């Protein structure tokens, strides 16, 4: 199973943190909050797709219809 | 050995959770969820082998097929509930974790009712 999704999520987290710092330094706080929200939404979509896949596999295995 | 693969995935996930925790605490929850999902998906074909052998055993024994299906479902629910409640406990939401465990127990109890009735019928038949 691919482990790179963990690194992707960590990457998005760190990048949003860096961008936040830059934006705060240049006095654009409202854009910083938008960037945090965008990062959260992207990561949320990735994780939800994974959890969906996990639940489908478990449902198929345990015949949990 | 496959166990090393799972341990490695677990360690990678934990390291990532710790690194991201002080930078951006919200993302540690996502990484924990993703690692759990990866490990469970990687485990799924092993679980499948176990279940196939158990289905063969249960076909030979006198149990009606419905009973084994319910047992299988109960085990599945146990897995998913434990996964969800442990992730919630990780992120300091003990109350939510307890609620998930409570709901898992109730759903399992509802699933267990037909098993109990069928076992009682079998016992009744023996006497």
């Amino acid at each position: 199973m691919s482990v790179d999704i963990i690194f992707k999520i960590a990457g998005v987290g760190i990048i949003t943190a860096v961008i936040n710092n830059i934006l705060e330094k240049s006095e654009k706080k409202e854009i910083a909050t938008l960037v945090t929200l965008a990062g959260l939404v992207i990561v949320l979509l990735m994780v939800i797709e994974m959890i969906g896949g996990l639940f489908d596999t478990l449902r198929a295995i345990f015949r949990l219809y | 050995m496959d166990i090393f693969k799972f341990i490695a995935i677990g360690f990678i996930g934990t390291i990532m959770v710790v690194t991201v925790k002080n930078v951006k605490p919200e993302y540690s929850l996502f990484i924990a969820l993703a690692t759990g999902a990866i490990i469970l998906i990687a485990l799924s074909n092993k679980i499948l082998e176990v279940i196939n052998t158990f289905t063969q055993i249960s076909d030979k024994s006198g149990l009606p097929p419905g009973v084994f299906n319910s047992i299988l479902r109960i085990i599945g629910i146990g897995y998913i509930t434990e996964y969800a409640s442990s992730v919630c406990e990780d992120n300091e939401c003990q109350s939510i974790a307890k609620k998930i465990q409570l709901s898992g127990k109730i759903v399992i109890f509802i699933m267990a009712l037909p098993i109990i009735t069928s076992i009682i019928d079998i016992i009744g038949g023996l006497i």
Side-chain angles (χ1 to χ4, degrees), chain A residues 12 16 34-45, chain B residues 26-27 30:
Chain A
V12 169
T16 31
L34 290 180
V35 165
T36 333
L37 280 178
L40 271 177
V41 165
I42 291 168
V43 169
L44 198 59
L45 289 177
Chain B
E26 314 87 68
Y27 288 85
F30 292 127

Side-chain angles (χ1 to χ4, degrees), chain B residues 88-106:
Chain B
C88 292
E89 254 163 48
D90 253 0
N91 298 278
E92 297 103 32
C93 307
Q94 263 76 12
S95 60
I96 298 174
K98 294 277 182 296
K99 298 296 170 296
I100 292 175
Q101 278 166 2
L102 175 70
S103 62
K105 285 182 186 123
I106 289 170

Side-chain angles (χ1 to χ4, degrees), chain A residues 2 17 39-40 44 51 61 63, chain B residues 23 27 30 38 69 72-73:
Chain A
S2 63
L40 271 177
L44 198 59
I51 305 281
I61 289 173
R63 302 181 196 126
Chain B
V23 178
Y27 288 85
F30 292 127
I38 288 176
N69 258 341
L72 210 54
R73 256 188 243 127

Side-chain angles (χ1 to χ4, degrees), chain B residues 10-25:
Chain B
F11 274 156
I12 290 170
T14 329
I15 290 163
M16 277 300 148
V17 164
V18 170
T19 41
V20 171
K21 208 161 195 105
N22 43 37
V23 178
K24 266 267 182 242

